Structures are given as structure tokens and as C-alpha cells.
Amino acid sequence: MTRRLAILGASGHGKVVADAAECCGWDSVVFFDDAWPERARNGAWRVAGRTDDLLEMLGEFDGVVVAIGNNAIRHAKMDLLRKAGGVLPAIVHPRAAVSRYAVLGEGSVVFAGAVVNVDATVGCGAILNTGCGIDHDCVLGDAVHVSPGARLAGGVCVGDLSWIGIGASVRQLVKIGARVMVGAGAAVVADVPDNLTVVGVPARCA
């Protein structure tokens, strides 16, 4: 049976999601984006309509993924699709290493080279980007983005809608709040409250 996947968000990030989906066995991938019809293709894939069109066509797809980098928008679009009856699978590239004892929330994506170790728990709609590391017993909330090459040591907690920048590192057992931005290359060695941006080595409020 042919498995059809819809992706909302025809961006560069969306192309990586589509490629990962095909690599892990989805037979057909179709994009939707509110820039349609001006944006009719996204690389190798066609764009078939806007968000409203996707909502009307949900029954034609076996799954739908939101490929929008903005955490808050991704979270809101996922909620919309979930309430409309959409099935939101996790997409895991076959060259990612995800422990069988880890938990991935619906609609999350795990790209090539990422590692998710034993007893890590990842919320819904997370982006675990290329080559990132989520070590044992980490807990990530909903709509978190861990950028390429970022590293979370064991037992790190990250709140909803937070973003860990490219190449950043987080010391073991550190707690990062909700809606936090960790700058590229930062080293987080102490807890970070909600709604802050931290940068530098060691990371401090921007």
C-alpha cells in the first residue's frame, strides 16, 4: 500500500523533512504552503495548495508533518491539524541513532547523524536537527528545536518552544525554561529561566 505524507511548510527545512521521510519509507510526499500558487515547487516536490486546502484534503494522506522553523507557529499549526483529525507521525532519518528506550512525540523530526540516547523523552513537534546529540534521561518539551551540532548532556530538561542554537552545548542536569533562545556556540552551565536569550561561553543573558 502506498503511504502518502503531507508536509506543511515548503521551505529548506521542509526539503530536509521530505528527504528524511522518503528515506524512512514514505512513498509519496506533497507540500502545502500559504505562498501557493506563487510557490508551486519545493525542490523535487510539488506544492499542492495552502493550509486551508490541506485541511480539506487531510483524509487523502496517511500522515502530516509541520515543517516550519518558527517554534510557536509550528506548535499552533500542529494543534490545528490535530484538531482536524490529522495523523502526525514522527519522522526519523535511517542514519539517526534513536534508542529503543527513548520516546519521541508525534510530529517530531530527527535528521541524519542525530543521536537520541536511552530514556530521553522528546515532546511533540520537536526538531532534532542534523548531527545533534540528546543524551540519556533528557526531557524536551513540545516544539523544541535543537540545531545542527548542538549537544545536550545527560539529564538536561528543555521547556516548550525553546531553541538550542547551532553548535551549542548544555551541561548535564541543567534546566532550560520555556521559550528560551540559546545562541550559536553557547555553553550553558547553569539553569536558564523562561523567556530569556543566553549567549557566550559560559552562556549569559544577552
Side-chain angles (χ1 to χ4, degrees):
M1 179 181 293
T2 299
R3 293 201 307 158
R4 302 188 72 213
L5 180 71
I7 299 178
L8 181 58
S11 61
H13 169 63
K15 288 191 285 188
V16 183
V17 174
D19 181 62
E22 289 186 350
C23 286
C24 68
W26 288 88
D27 301 297
S28 173
V29 175
V30 179
F31 277 94
F32 292 81
D33 193 285
D34 289 338
W36 182 88
E38 289 79 13
R39 182 174 298 164
R41 296 200 65 80
N42 191 29
W45 300 274
R46 71 184 180 95
V47 180
R50 301 185 177 93
T51 301
D52 289 345
D53 300 308
L54 173 57
L55 290 170
E56 292 181 2
M57 298 169 63
L58 271 178
E60 300 180 19
F61 295 95
D62 301 288
V64 57
V65 173
V66 180
I68 295 173
N70 182 290
N71 290 341
I73 295 174
R74 185 170 70 258
H75 189 262
K77 294 287 190 181
M78 284 184 59
D79 190 52
L80 177 69
L81 291 166
R82 188 185 295 113
K83 288 177 178 176
V87 175
L88 288 87
I91 301 295
V92 179
H93 194 284
R95 289 196 294 276
V98 178
S99 169
R100 59 180 171 170
Y101 300 109
V103 176
L104 296 179
E106 63 178 355
S108 290
V109 295
V110 186
F111 291 157
V115 176
V116 184
N117 269 329
V118 60
D119 288 338
T121 300
V122 179
C124 299
I127 300 171
L128 305 185
N129 222 315
T130 309
C132 74
I134 312 297
D135 221 311
H136 64 87
D137 300 294
C138 285
V139 178
L140 278 61
D142 292 340
V144 166
H145 184 172
V146 182
S147 296
R151 298 285 189 268
L152 309 185
V156 167
C157 294
V158 181
D160 294 346
L161 306 174
S162 287
W163 193 317
I164 311 299
I166 189 167
S169 57
V170 184
R171 185 178 64 83
Q172 67 271 17
L173 303 178
V174 162
K175 292 179 171 57
I176 293 174
R179 299 172 300 279
V180 167
M181 172 76 74
V182 174
V188 183
V189 297
D191 293 353
V192 181
D194 296 347
N195 301 308
L196 291 182
T197 296
V198 294
V199 299
V201 180
R204 303 181 187 278
C205 290

